[in-house]
Amino acid sequence: MENPKDYAAAFEELKGILAALQQDEIGVDALAEKVKRAAHLISYCGERLRSTENEVQKVLDELGEED
């Protein structure tokens, strides 16, 4: 499954899927695919958040070493 271009795009797509689900806009035939896509996007966002957290922590650690 294709990754979105960035975290913001993934989050917006997730919000769109959620809104469509809440408004019963997704038919039974497309439901499984939308749920799979949402699961993929959630995984992608989690990976991006962990990666960013690690990068920020690394920078903070480096700053702390300079003191």
Side-chain angles (χ1 to χ4, degrees):
M1 196 166 283
E2 184 178 328
N3 283 335
K5 67 178 183 165
D6 57 23
Y7 179 88
F11 190 70
E12 285 301 313
E13 188 175 348
L14 269 171
K15 289 193 322 188
I17 292 171
L18 179 59
L21 285 169
Q22 289 174 333
Q23 297 172 7
D24 293 326
E25 293 177 358
I26 298 174
V28 172
D29 296 326
L31 182 60
E33 285 302 313
K34 290 295 185 181
V35 170
K36 287 178 191 176
R37 180 64 179 166
H40 178 76
L41 292 169
I42 290 167
S43 176
Y44 173 84
C45 287
E47 289 172 16
R48 290 298 305 139
L49 287 171
R50 282 186 294 279
S51 174
T52 300
E53 181 181 27
N54 290 337
E55 289 176 31
V56 168
Q57 188 60 52
K58 183 178 176 181
V59 169
L60 292 175
D61 290 345
E62 290 172 0
L63 287 173
E65 290 174 5
E66 291 177 7
D67 288 340

